Amino acid sequence: TVENYGNESFHIQDRFKGAWIKHFKNQVSEEDPFTPAQKEILAPLANQMDISVLDKPEDSAQIDSEYRSLYCLQAMQMAMTARSRILKHTQSKLMDGTSNERDQGFTRPQTLIVLPFRNSAYDCVKFMAALWKDRCGGGAGTQVENLARFEEEYGAGIDGDNDAEDAEAIAEAKKRDRRPEAFKNLFRDNIDDCFRIGIKFTRKSMKLFSDFYSA
């Protein structure tokens, strides 16, 4: 049951709203920008509470994707808000010396996302990259740096030398796999669990493999 989580409500910042609605296309609208699954966790997420989702259907890949999109959006909004605040305070201090805000320290990270395997990290970063490009208009000045390296290190790990017969064999093996869909979704593609990647946002770029403590 959903209890009273407080007065905070989750909202999409104007700079991300158009990109978010474009990403979900027919699922959401300007007036109603969240899917039914996402609405279930909006209140506790807005209040930065711990959430444990236990009651999901067996084939929960779509719901997992919708939850993932939401917490990735939250992480991006937090990072961009913090960056804007720091820039504003720095400018104020340079102009008139009035800002004494303690908004910077020895490290820069704002959000830590803990995930089990590289396949999960791949899904998160690909969503954030797509949202970032749409948010920036997708023009020539919009950059997601080191994307090729990311694909190589976090992608499925099937190289371009596989011929059509290999692809058909893989597809046939997947059809015969009788394990639950949730299991297959979790343990798909790249399941290396030893990884760490820093992401840094500037005005026009999203830099992957940024130095971790300045990410």
Side-chain angles (χ1 to χ4, degrees):
T1 356
V2 178
E3 303 293 342
N4 180 14
Y5 290 106
N7 298 322
E8 292 294 326
S9 59
F10 190 95
H11 73 284
I12 305 176
Q13 296 171 3
D14 291 340
R15 54 187 161 194
F16 284 110
K17 195 163 190 178
W20 175 267
I21 293 172
K22 179 181 177 182
H23 179 83
F24 282 97
K25 297 178 182 175
N26 299 328
Q27 292 178 265
V28 302
S29 65
E30 186 85 21
E31 297 74 27
D32 190 13
F34 302 108
T35 68
Q38 290 168 343
K39 289 176 183 177
E40 294 176 359
I41 62 170
L42 288 179
L45 188 64
N47 284 274
Q48 299 184 31
M49 301 183 72
D50 293 336
I51 306 171
S52 180
V53 182
L54 303 177
D55 186 17
K56 290 192 296 182
E58 182 180 330
D59 184 8
S60 58
Q62 179 58 35
I63 292 178
D64 287 344
S65 175
E66 292 174 21
Y67 287 163
R68 178 171 57 246
S69 301
L70 195 59
Y71 67 69
C72 284
L73 171 68
Q74 176 79 325
M76 294 177 77
Q77 291 191 151
M78 290 174 67
M80 295 301 293
T81 298
R83 179 180 180 275
S84 297
R85 186 182 299 119
I86 289 172
L87 290 175
K88 180 181 177 181
H89 291 162
T90 301
Q91 184 66 21
S92 175
K93 190 170 185 178
L94 289 173
M95 294 292 290
D96 51 29
T98 58
S99 176
N100 293 312
E101 300 290 343
R102 296 182 177 182
D103 56 13
Q104 299 184 60
F106 294 109
T107 61
R108 296 294 297 274
Q110 300 293 327
T111 307
L112 177 67
I113 301 177
V114 181
L115 299 163
F117 304 120
R118 288 191 184 228
N119 58 20
S120 303
Y122 181 85
D123 291 338
C124 282
V125 173
K126 291 292 283 186
F127 170 78
M128 287 192 281
L131 198 66
W132 177 259
K133 287 180 178 179
D134 287 340
R135 178 249 181 196
C136 295
T142 304
Q143 296 184 35
V144 179
E145 299 180 32
N146 301 318
L147 192 56
R149 176 186 169 189
F150 176 75
E151 290 282 356
E152 181 180 344
E153 295 187 16
Y154 285 76
I158 301 175
D159 59 42
D161 295 333
N162 289 307
D163 56 26
E165 291 182 6
D166 291 333
E168 289 178 8
I170 292 170
E172 186 60 34
K174 287 182 178 179
K175 287 181 183 178
R176 294 196 302 268
D177 193 340
R178 296 181 180 275
R179 287 174 295 187
E181 289 300 320
F183 179 94
K184 289 189 281 187
N185 181 54
L186 178 62
F187 292 98
R188 62 192 157 76
D189 302 331
N190 194 332
I191 56 171
D192 176 30
D193 63 354
C194 184
F195 63 92
R196 183 180 74 175
I197 180 170
I199 302 175
K200 183 176 184 177
F201 295 100
T202 64
R203 191 172 67 87
K204 276 289 187 179
S205 71
M206 171 180 170
K207 183 178 180 181
L208 307 180
F209 298 99
S210 171
D211 176 72
F212 197 69
Y213 290 108
S214 64

